[in-house]
Amino acid sequence: MEATLMTTNSTDFTKNWSPTALSFPKKLIEQATEFIETTHFPTTRDEHWKYTRLAKLSKQQFLQSKVAATAEFDSISNSNNRLVFVNGLFNAGLSNLTQSNGLTLTALSENSAVLNQTNVDVIDLFSAMNICFAKDGIHVHVAKNQTIETPIEIVFVQTGEQTAAVIHNQITIDEGAKASVILNFQSKNAKNTFTNVISNVSVGKNAHFTLYKMQTENETATFIGTENVTQERDSYFHIHTSTLNGLLVRNNLNIKVIGENADTHLNGMYLGHGSMHVDNHTVVDHTVANCESNELYKGVMADKSTGVFNGKVFVRKDAQKINAFQSNGNVLLSDDATINSKPELEIYADDVKCSHGSTTGQLDEEAVFYLRARGISEKAARQLMVSAFIGDVINKIDNTEVSDYLTSKLETMFGWDF
Amino acid sequence: MIKINNLHANIEGKEILKGLTLEVKPGEIHAIMGPNGAGKSTLASILAGREEYEVTEGSVDFDGLDLLEMDTEDRARAGLFLAFQYPVEIPGVSNINFLRTAMNEIREHKGMDPISAKEFMAMVKEKSALVELDPKLASRSVNEGFSGGEKKRNEIFQMAMLEPKLAILDETDSGLDIDALRIVANGVNTLKSDKNATIVITHYKRLLDYIIPDFVHVLYDGRIVKSGTKELAIELEEKGYDWIKAELV
């Protein structure tokens, strides 16, 4: 057992934390507890963490808040439906809730009986931690055939030092319903924070759901977030994941398509800078026939940043007539930046159309010269090129409040103009 | 306008220009002709500021400025324009936005206010008509999916928008059919004034039937070996470049 000498006991990491206040099934909690007690922190020898080092993280300890603090925050939308969580705890005073027909929007702690039906699994250490220690999260339920026009925005703000936010969200969109949710992760006056979030999303028959995930927690933040999505037949699901900042960010996206004629869109952008590490792991699992998925992830990596894209598409046996397209593009702006891109297709059906592509390169210097030869400064030329590259993904965003927020962030953070 | 004096330049250790001297005055059109490999495109590249060339000797005075000491963008702002032999496709960057950015950088350099959106659009309409460029192309990504002829017309469209003092057309006629050639030439002729100047670099006389040069120079083996008026182009067409080579021996 040489390996154990080099790894960290997971129980040390969570020893200051108190058990979850949410009503997960008892058996699930037992299973998760056992997992933590018997599993060490993942190392780069684990296939899933090959390019993401957790050694530094594993040696730290973070504290969970007992009461919801107050904090400043930025909101993306003008939504009347806005919930605010500070360090993972619901702050009712900062939240703004309007009753809409067919919409249940509460802190999960107020309604955690819904977790009796949860299909969340202990799949790794972080999901186990989440089940054992989640303090709160959102519960969104849109009833059958209801359309919620205004986007629902959930702000998760980290504030203070060495804080841990362990968040569990349950989002259920019933048959024929339509809604969109913004998960807005950010930090204010924060240092060395840790966020562990799982969002469990169920998109019902013929339902239409869009999820925007925005990560702008600061350059000292560690963020590990997972969305588990199931899609029933004739449904539409679109997720847009934007990672603009952080020390270590891991986005796990697991989409399981269980009904025919479903339409899936997963898009993401990540902007590495400083010594940031950003890792996107996506899985689209086509278990049934006649579905389509489109995936576009783009990254711009500057300075000494490192990145990972791992996109897996499964097409199961008998899942015929699947169209699955995946594309990952990266631009490296510095010689010290790196990206590991690994597209994977596993196809067990024979009548499918699948493609994947991955490109990594520098900016086209010939194009930079061309722009300069027209009088544009070198800096502006490079920004123009980068904006154009990433603009492709931004254009996939239907919600103009989200895209405006994103572009204004890009302008203030990087000086990129669109 | 521009005085190139005894210019020597290398690329990857190979000497391409071997003492090139040329002066262009305002209001003039100069044609530079020469066989492949003579250094025509190298000259255009060096004047535009490509960094892969090393100038080992000589000087270039552009309206009193030491051109070789300037960055590419500063040369453009000072009024130098290169129409590329191979215009670059830039996906995602809109032709219009990029041109407006460029124009405003040039105006800022001249101490002028940014152009208003209305004025700019009126100018786009007028100048794109000049080169018969579909206004739809003007708003697309730079050169993306443009035909060869459209790319060259887009170069002249940009030239018309930016109103340079000195335009260098690098093999602008290559790959153009006779209609496109006429359109491009018409654009250049319309833009001609007694304040600006043009250097037309070409392999063939064909373009010079439409853009009438005041002077024709033959560039051979890194130097200008013969200069004359437009009749020289006719002579070259008749006798071929071998005639020059033979004369030099």
Side-chain angles (χ1 to χ4, degrees):
Chain A
M1 296 296 281
E2 291 161 68
T4 48
L5 295 172
M6 300 163 71
T7 55
T8 309
N9 211 323
S10 308
T11 46
D12 282 352
F13 187 79
T14 58
K15 71 180 177 194
N16 295 319
W17 297 359
S18 56
T20 182
L22 304 173
S23 318
F24 287 106
K26 210 174 151 211
K27 218 179 147 193
L28 188 65
I29 295 184
E30 282 169 11
Q31 197 191 338
T33 309
E34 195 192 334
F35 194 95
I36 294 171
E37 284 168 357
T38 56
T39 313
H40 291 276
F41 250 76
T43 68
T44 51
R45 289 183 299 278
D46 292 275
E47 188 59 32
H48 268 80
W49 296 92
K50 198 171 173 183
Y51 300 107
T52 298
R53 292 179 186 281
L54 297 174
K56 271 188 200 159
L57 174 72
S58 71
K59 290 183 182 65
Q60 295 197 57
Q61 274 162 7
F62 300 92
L63 297 171
Q64 291 187 310
S65 301
K66 299 261 188 302
V67 285
T70 189
E72 287 177 18
F73 62 90
D74 296 333
S75 62
I76 293 174
S77 69
N78 265 323
S79 175
N80 294 324
N81 290 318
R82 187 197 305 126
L83 265 63
V84 180
F85 291 76
V86 181
N87 298 342
L89 297 177
F90 178 53
N91 187 320
L94 298 176
S95 300
N96 186 359
L97 278 173
T98 344
Q99 292 301 321
S100 313
N101 252 348
L103 172 66
T104 310
L105 178 61
T106 63
L108 189 56
S109 56
E110 291 168 21
N111 206 349
S112 82
V114 296
L115 290 173
N116 293 334
Q117 305 295 321
T118 185
N119 54 3
V120 74
D121 259 337
V122 178
I123 48 170
D124 62 5
L125 183 63
F126 295 101
S127 57
M129 271 182 203
N130 190 281
I131 290 160
C132 287
F133 301 103
K135 287 290 162 294
D136 212 340
I138 45 152
H139 174 228
V140 178
H141 178 216
V142 183
K144 190 173 171 180
N145 295 334
Q146 295 291 334
T147 293
I148 309 301
E149 294 289 354
T150 355
I152 298 158
E153 180 172 4
I154 320 295
V155 175
F156 298 95
V157 53
Q158 282 268 25
T159 185
E161 268 188 54
Q162 290 305 125
T163 55
V166 186
I167 299 158
H168 193 92
N169 298 323
Q170 176 63 45
I171 301 172
T172 307
I173 313 298
D174 279 352
E175 180 178 344
K178 184 177 178 183
S180 64
V181 168
I182 302 165
L183 302 176
N184 181 356
F185 297 92
Q186 55 187 277
S187 54
K188 282 273 154 35
N189 304 316
K191 201 177 164 191
N192 300 337
T193 57
F194 176 68
T195 301
N196 172 330
V197 54
I198 291 182
S199 301
N200 221 20
V201 179
S202 149
V203 186
K205 282 178 204 165
N206 198 31
H208 188 289
F209 182 58
T210 306
L211 184 62
Y212 299 103
K213 183 181 176 188
M214 180 84 63
Q215 154 50 26
T216 61
E217 288 178 2
N218 71 24
E219 55 286 344
T220 66
T222 300
F223 177 96
I224 296 177
T226 301
E227 296 82 46
N228 297 314
V229 183
T230 53
Q231 252 189 287
E232 294 186 48
R233 74 175 164 80
D234 302 318
S235 66
Y236 168 96
F237 173 67
H238 179 181
I239 181 165
H240 200 284
T241 305
S242 308
T243 306
L244 305 193
N245 208 352
L247 173 69
L248 186 158
V249 177
R250 166 75 172 236
N251 296 306
N252 298 306
L253 173 58
N254 304 308
I255 301 173
K256 194 167 183 175
V257 186
I258 57 171
E260 291 197 18
N261 198 30
D263 189 7
T264 309
H265 299 265
L266 48 160
N267 300 311
M269 56 185 275
Y270 43 95
L271 308 168
H273 47 98
S275 49
M276 179 175 168
H277 179 80
V278 52
D279 178 346
N280 281 285
H281 265 66
T282 68
V283 177
V284 182
D285 190 353
H286 285 289
T287 66
V288 294
N290 299 313
C291 292
E292 179 161 330
S293 63
N294 278 286
E295 176 168 15
L296 175 67
Y297 271 70
K298 281 194 166 189
V300 177
M301 308 300 291
D303 308 328
K304 291 182 173 172
S305 63
T306 50
V308 181
F309 172 81
N310 187 300
K312 207 164 195 172
V313 176
F314 289 102
V315 180
R316 302 293 177 181
K317 190 169 172 282
D318 302 328
Q320 305 294 2
K321 308 273 182 203
I322 294 291
N323 292 332
F325 306 108
Q326 182 193 78
S327 165
N328 173 230
N330 299 287
V331 166
L332 302 177
L333 297 182
S334 117
D335 291 341
D336 297 324
T338 56
I339 183 88
N340 285 290
S341 176
K342 190 177 178 193
E344 294 177 85
L345 292 179
E346 280 192 30
I347 300 170
Y348 302 99
D350 50 21
D351 184 13
V352 298
K353 250 189 244 166
C354 296
S355 70
H356 65 80
S358 170
T359 58
T360 297
Q362 268 108 32
L363 288 183
D364 179 355
E365 289 301 322
E366 189 59 25
V368 172
F369 179 76
Y370 187 85
L371 295 172
R372 291 177 65 197
R374 296 298 176 252
I376 296 175
S377 73
E378 181 169 0
K379 188 166 174 247
R382 292 186 184 280
Q383 284 170 354
L384 211 55
M385 303 273 301
V386 169
S387 308
F389 175 76
I390 210 78
D392 232 16
V393 193
I394 297 177
N395 288 340
K396 305 256 179 203
I397 298 175
D398 296 330
N399 183 319
T400 52
E401 284 178 329
V402 175
S403 51
D404 287 352
Y405 181 84
L406 206 50
T407 50
S408 76
K409 276 275 172 197
L410 295 179
E411 204 182 337
T412 51
M413 289 177 71
F414 307 102
W416 298 345
D417 192 11
F418 288 84
Chain B
M1 176 80 67
I2 194 164
K3 277 184 202 156
I4 303 168
N5 187 32
N6 191 31
L7 192 62
H8 290 253
N10 293 341
I11 186 162
E12 290 164 359
K14 190 175 180 247
E15 191 172 38
I16 308 282
L17 297 186
K18 303 172 181 173
L20 186 144
T21 297
L22 175 72
E23 182 176 359
V24 177
K25 296 197 173 83
E28 293 178 350
I29 295 179
H30 287 241
I32 295 179
M33 302 182 72
N36 289 329
K40 301 190 300 288
S41 283
T42 297
L43 175 64
S45 295
I46 289 171
L47 294 180
R50 267 193 207 276
E51 280 149 17
E52 47 275 35
Y53 294 90
E54 188 196 354
V55 174
T56 52
E57 210 183 322
S59 64
V60 180
D61 176 300
F62 180 55
D63 249 2
L65 300 165
D66 182 355
L67 191 78
L68 299 176
E69 288 302 308
M70 295 162 75
D71 284 336
T72 294
E73 52 268 39
D74 291 328
R75 299 179 191 200
R77 291 168 190 170
L80 186 130
F81 181 93
L82 171 67
F84 282 57
Q85 183 177 4
Y86 304 108
V88 187
E89 295 193 14
I90 316 180
V93 174
S94 116
N95 217 11
I96 289 287
N97 284 350
F98 128 76
L99 206 47
R100 193 162 171 200
T101 307
M103 187 178 264
N104 282 334
E105 293 222 23
I106 293 170
R107 287 170 73 102
E108 194 184 329
H109 179 82
K110 289 181 182 163
M112 293 163 73
D113 286 334
I115 189 165
S116 76
K118 197 179 162 193
E119 208 183 329
F120 179 76
M121 288 320 292
M123 208 169 157
V124 166
K125 201 175 164 193
E126 182 199 332
K127 305 296 185 187
S128 58
L130 176 69
V131 288
E132 300 177 30
L133 189 70
D134 185 341
K136 280 192 205 107
L137 289 181
S139 56
R140 286 232 308 257
S141 288
V142 179
N143 293 323
E144 194 186 28
F146 286 28
S147 71
E150 284 166 346
K151 282 180 185 169
K152 295 298 175 77
R153 278 187 274 156
N154 193 26
E155 293 295 288
I156 306 304
F157 165 63
Q158 292 175 32
M159 174 180 147
M161 293 292 289
L162 299 176
E163 298 173 331
K165 283 191 226 163
L166 175 67
I168 301 160
L169 312 187
D170 187 9
E171 308 259 2
T172 297
D173 52 334
S174 67
L176 288 190
D177 62 32
I178 203 76
D179 290 330
L181 195 68
R182 184 185 47 75
I183 293 165
V184 163
N186 178 47
V188 174
N189 290 331
T190 312
L191 296 170
K192 187 186 165 173
S193 80
D194 56 2
K195 290 187 184 60
N196 62 27
T198 310
I199 297 175
V200 181
I201 292 174
T202 181
H203 189 83
Y204 304 103
K205 175 181 150 281
R206 204 174 59 144
L207 180 62
L208 304 179
D209 293 338
Y210 298 91
I211 302 174
I212 311 295
D214 300 297
F215 299 95
V216 174
H217 310 276
V218 181
L219 179 57
Y220 179 71
D221 195 23
R223 278 174 301 135
I224 296 212
V225 294
K226 204 172 180 67
S227 295
T229 53
K230 62 178 195 281
E231 285 72 25
L232 178 57
I234 298 166
E235 205 172 352
L236 271 174
E237 182 88 347
E238 281 169 3
K239 299 184 179 171
Y241 289 113
D242 285 343
W243 160 61
I244 298 287
K245 290 180 200 171
E247 210 171 63
L248 283 171
V249 173

